[in-house]
Amino acid sequence: MARPGRNLRLLLSALALTATPAHSQARVVIDVARREGPVSPLLFGQFLEFMYEGIKGGLHAELLRGRGFEEAPDAIGLPRPWERYPDDRNDDYALDFRWDDSVAFAVRADSLTGTGPSHALRVDAGDGVIARHGIYQPRVPVRGGVPYTAQIWLRAADYTGPVVLALEEDASGGRVYAEWRVDVAPGAWRRYAVVLHPMRSDPLARFVVLFPGRGRVWLDQASLMPADTAPGGVRRDVYERVRALRPAFIRWPGGNVAQDYHWRWGVGPRDERPTWVNLSWKREPEPSDFGTDEFIAFARSLGAEPSLTVNVDGRGATPEEAAAWVEYCNGPATSRWGAVRAANGHPAPYGVTLWEVGNEIWGDWVRGHTDAATYAGNFRRYRDAMRAVDSTIRFIAVGDNDMAWNRIVLRAVGLYVDYLAIHHYYGFDSTQRDLRHLMARPLGYERFYADVARLIRDEVPGHAVALTIDEWGLALPEARQHGMDAALYGARLMNVFERTPVVAMSAVSDLVNGWPGGIVQASRHALFVTPLYHANRLYATHLGRERVGVALTGAPTFGVDSSGAPTPALDVVATRADSLLYVMLVNTDPARDVRVRVEVRGGSVQSDATWELLAEPDGRRGSNGFATPDAIAPRRRPLRAGSAFVVDVPARSVSALTLRVRGG
């Protein structure tokens, strides 16, 4: 039941934001001959982090959880999330399970993973009365007609007979979609891989390992991967959504978790990599299936530059470890770590140029947390070690919304910094979630960027340091996060990025899952994208190489605080690439359309233009979700343009106009 007081506050907020006449009008003058500087080719990127199912289950295509049998077992000896087959109705005295750390497959482990010794699942199969028995994992989505590679590592002691790998309906007595019998050889660990061909789709199937034989056998490193995986072992449905964003760069592995991560965990044969404990996010066990090689293959296949975040003094990290990562990525195949890369199937250097030295070191929630002066010293140590390996790489230093931190870091090591990373999160309390504050906040960041630009000029005169806002996001309730409130905030902030010369890179938090801010929400069985995803796509695909002059007059305004300073409800930027002129219009007014007269000077405009519009259909509030994946989605329409034309911009909308111009 709705609370009257809350409804009244929302109504007053909306009325305060709508201090405009019923038919609002504005004028936008664009001077295509007034070039205001280049637009950074790296301006709109994306950010990935090991955060819950940001990588496992979200980005990566592996369908089995706990495939290394490393999670603690239940009372009958089965690690989560494996279960006894066919179910727990009856006593199956012919099968006995044990979580065994004495005979595990040889996974590379170290003292830093936090997992202790590696484990395998021991199965003792004897004579019994249940013929079809074993273990299974539920809630495995399969698609009819798609082949699946199923694998398991087995070590047999005295086991005789086959082991069966199958895909089945997850129901008692359910249909078998596909199965394959493998003959188990005695002795050392062996990998058994088969291709299963289900002819029926089932979003809630199960993967089954059956033991019709007799004797003792150990299992480890199970896997189930669809044949249509994208580069890097990425889910095809997620990959296509990311490709549509045209990211200029992708940042990985974090985020907070960068201060936990050791890059060597994620290289080499996949089955030999350890599971590690994610200290940043509720001690989640993280498989190392998606590592450096997979990430770079993924990014480069999209045309995106990989941006790697180095662990600075967190969880035992050292400058030597960071330098070794640079050598693994960029060193010749004759170097120590370049040879390891070559042995892993990649003889040519990757040529990774973007390296971020630490993440949010100012925050006491990360390992390696220090004050600014200590961080500056650490930055220099890591930078020197890394640059000794490759002098061409570019360095991103940790910045903050606190100008005192930025001043100390820039004064100490600014001459060695190419980019300063600053992160923005907003919406943590009722004031920040107020619609007026939310729609005005990006303009506050714009003023902040101007202050940082002045600080850079003062502290490192003659040396160019750009800003990377490589994490920005909101802490809104889920319905607003997946609705137009987040999209409008993000669109206005991206307008700020476009017109602010010092901002060279940006990335929303996160790309896939992690928290409700993830713009691609991918469950095991379905996927939807948020309106903020759509806004990201509009900006990335409507970006020119140069900023051009824009003047906005007559826009409706609203007040945010008692100062009475007006904040425009309309926001506009324009960029140009040869004959294409891109105009981005954001109308934050919650109720009123704005009739915008657009005038283009300094060149002639062809009449045929296009307009992509992101707005709530018919003004109805809503949000995207698994049940309503396309409740809010862009609509494309033709637009009649000229040297002067009118666009009726709907309330709560983001517009991307593409014009063709000559001259200027």
Side-chain angles (χ1 to χ4, degrees):
M1 181 176 178
R3 292 174 293 172
R6 178 176 180 272
N7 290 340
L8 178 60
R9 288 195 299 274
L10 290 174
L11 176 62
L12 291 174
S13 176
L15 290 173
L17 189 55
T18 316
T20 62
H23 302 288
S24 300
Q25 297 186 3
R27 179 173 176 239
V28 172
V29 177
I30 303 171
D31 187 347
V32 297
R34 198 176 94 208
R35 311 294 176 89
E36 296 191 338
V39 174
S40 168
L42 296 174
L43 187 57
F44 295 126
Q46 296 297 332
F47 164 54
L48 280 170
E49 181 171 12
F50 290 104
M51 184 178 183
Y52 300 106
E53 292 194 350
I55 303 294
K56 64 176 187 292
L59 180 79
H60 198 256
E62 176 59 63
L63 290 171
L64 298 184
R65 296 162 290 169
R67 71 186 198 87
F69 299 95
E70 293 301 339
E71 296 195 46
D74 60 16
I76 64 171
L78 284 178
R80 188 176 76 101
W82 297 90
E83 298 185 30
R84 184 162 66 100
Y85 182 96
D87 51 41
D88 289 325
R89 285 178 299 121
N90 299 314
D91 176 27
D92 185 0
Y93 52 82
L95 282 186
D96 183 66
F97 306 110
R98 180 179 175 183
W99 195 48
D100 197 340
D101 63 1
S102 66
V103 196
F105 178 73
V107 170
R108 297 192 323 273
D110 58 42
S111 61
L112 302 174
T113 60
T115 56
S118 297
H119 295 82
L121 178 65
R122 193 184 81 188
V123 179
D124 289 294
D127 293 324
V129 295
I130 299 176
R132 189 176 175 89
H133 60 181
I135 62 172
Y136 75 96
Q137 194 167 129
R139 299 175 60 83
V140 174
V142 297
R143 290 166 286 144
V146 175
Y148 290 82
T149 297
Q151 76 153 47
I152 192 81
W153 283 83
L154 298 173
R155 176 177 174 175
D158 56 355
Y159 185 87
T160 58
V163 167
V164 178
L165 306 180
L167 292 171
E168 296 184 1
E169 182 180 13
D170 191 11
S172 299
R175 288 167 290 195
V176 176
Y177 301 135
E179 71 174 26
W180 197 281
R181 298 167 70 90
V182 298
D183 293 321
V184 181
W189 283 103
R190 294 175 185 265
R191 177 178 179 265
Y192 298 85
V194 303
V195 178
L196 301 175
H197 296 268
M199 301 311 295
R200 182 187 296 269
S201 295
D202 185 345
L204 296 171
R206 60 185 175 190
F207 174 73
V208 178
V209 184
L210 301 173
F211 304 97
R214 301 291 184 270
R216 176 170 293 178
V217 63
W218 288 268
L219 289 69
D220 213 339
Q221 301 302 319
S223 176
L224 184 68
M225 293 280 282
D228 63 350
T229 57
V234 170
R235 282 172 54 168
R236 178 58 62 177
D237 56 349
V238 173
Y239 182 86
E240 295 302 330
R241 290 295 194 168
V242 177
R243 182 164 66 173
L245 292 170
R246 297 185 193 174
F249 71 92
I250 302 178
R251 176 178 178 247
W252 174 87
N256 292 348
V257 79
Q259 292 296 121
D260 298 334
Y261 187 67
H262 292 272
W263 68 270
R264 295 176 199 172
W265 294 340
V267 298
R270 188 165 77 105
D271 294 335
E272 296 178 11
R273 302 177 189 178
T275 296
W276 50 280
V277 174
N278 190 329
L279 300 180
S280 290
W281 304 114
K282 301 291 180 68
R283 301 187 63 83
E284 278 274 303
E286 294 283 355
S288 297
D289 295 331
F290 189 80
T292 299
D293 300 302
E294 290 80 12
F295 167 67
I296 293 174
F298 168 62
R300 289 274 165 76
S301 73
L302 297 166
E305 281 299 307
S307 178
L308 294 173
T309 307
V310 169
N311 184 343
V312 173
D313 283 14
R315 206 177 191 175
T318 65
E320 292 73 26
E321 179 185 10
W325 200 5
V326 174
E327 186 171 279
Y328 182 87
C329 291
N330 297 353
T334 54
S335 65
R336 177 189 174 189
W337 289 105
V340 175
R341 182 196 65 242
N344 290 336
H346 308 281
Y350 288 130
V352 177
T353 59
L354 296 171
W355 294 82
E356 189 163 350
V357 183
N359 175 81
E360 295 181 6
I361 302 297
W362 39 264
D364 60 8
W365 49 85
V366 300
R367 262 55 59 192
H369 161 65
T370 67
D371 58 29
T374 303
Y375 169 71
N378 287 338
F379 174 90
R380 182 66 186 271
R381 289 192 303 121
Y382 278 74
R383 180 258 186 195
D384 289 351
M386 296 163 69
R387 195 174 187 277
V389 176
D390 185 348
S391 63
T392 68
I393 62 178
R394 298 176 68 78
F395 290 93
I396 303 170
V398 172
D400 190 12
N401 294 274
D402 176 7
M403 291 293 280
W405 173 284
N406 297 333
R407 182 174 293 105
I408 291 169
V409 170
L410 289 170
R411 185 169 295 174
V413 294
L415 289 173
Y416 311 111
V417 173
D418 298 294
Y419 301 91
L420 190 67
I422 295 176
H423 299 166
H424 300 317
Y425 290 93
Y426 195 70
F428 290 98
D429 57 38
S430 59
T431 298
Q432 293 185 2
R433 291 175 180 175
D434 175 85
L435 198 58
R436 297 164 302 168
H437 287 87
L438 198 63
M439 295 301 104
R441 183 59 178 172
L443 302 183
Y445 290 136
E446 187 169 16
R447 294 186 291 271
F448 172 71
Y449 301 150
D451 292 339
V452 178
R454 283 190 292 271
L455 180 67
I456 291 169
R457 290 193 297 269
D458 291 344
E459 296 297 339
V460 280
H463 178 69
V465 177
L467 294 184
T468 173
I469 315 302
D470 52 14
E471 284 186 45
W472 61 267
L474 290 167
L476 296 179
E478 193 174 48
R480 295 180 69 187
Q481 187 75 66
H482 297 165
M484 279 303 296
D485 284 1
L488 291 167
Y489 170 91
R492 173 161 251 178
L493 185 57
M494 287 185 281
N495 269 10
V496 169
F497 295 157
E498 284 198 24
R499 63 174 171 253
T500 303
V502 75
V503 177
M505 301 167 65
S506 69
V508 67
S509 175
D510 284 15
L511 175 57
V512 181
N513 296 344
W515 65 309
I519 60 175
V520 177
Q521 290 290 317
S523 76
R524 294 170 57 79
H525 319 107
L527 175 152
F528 75 91
V529 298
T530 69
L532 184 51
Y533 165 96
H534 291 306
N536 263 254
R537 187 192 64 78
L538 289 179
Y539 278 82
T541 57
H542 294 80
L543 183 66
R545 292 190 294 272
E546 292 182 294
R547 295 187 305 278
V548 297
V550 176
L552 170 65
T553 56
T557 62
F558 60 92
V560 176
D561 53 38
S562 58
S563 69
T567 299
L570 196 69
D571 205 303
V572 59
V573 294
T575 60
R576 182 176 180 178
D578 301 323
S579 63
L580 296 178
L581 177 66
Y582 300 112
V583 183
M584 308 301 294
L585 287 162
V586 184
N587 182 8
T588 66
D589 194 297
R592 310 295 176 89
D593 299 352
V594 179
R595 174 158 290 183
V596 180
R597 176 180 170 84
V598 180
E599 301 174 16
V600 181
R601 298 176 181 175
S604 60
V605 181
Q606 296 182 25
S607 60
D608 59 316
T610 57
W611 178 11
E612 284 198 66
L613 174 66
L614 179 65
E616 293 146 330
D618 303 320
R620 298 191 305 270
R621 299 292 176 95
S623 59
N624 291 358
F626 289 109
T628 56
D630 299 312
I632 302 171
R635 303 189 298 276
R636 187 182 180 94
R637 60 181 67 176
L639 178 67
R640 188 78 174 174
S643 59
F645 60 97
V646 171
V647 181
D648 288 323
V649 181
R652 292 174 56 80
S653 70
V654 181
S655 294
L657 311 183
T658 304
L659 313 178
R660 296 185 179 275
V661 298
R662 297 192 185 96

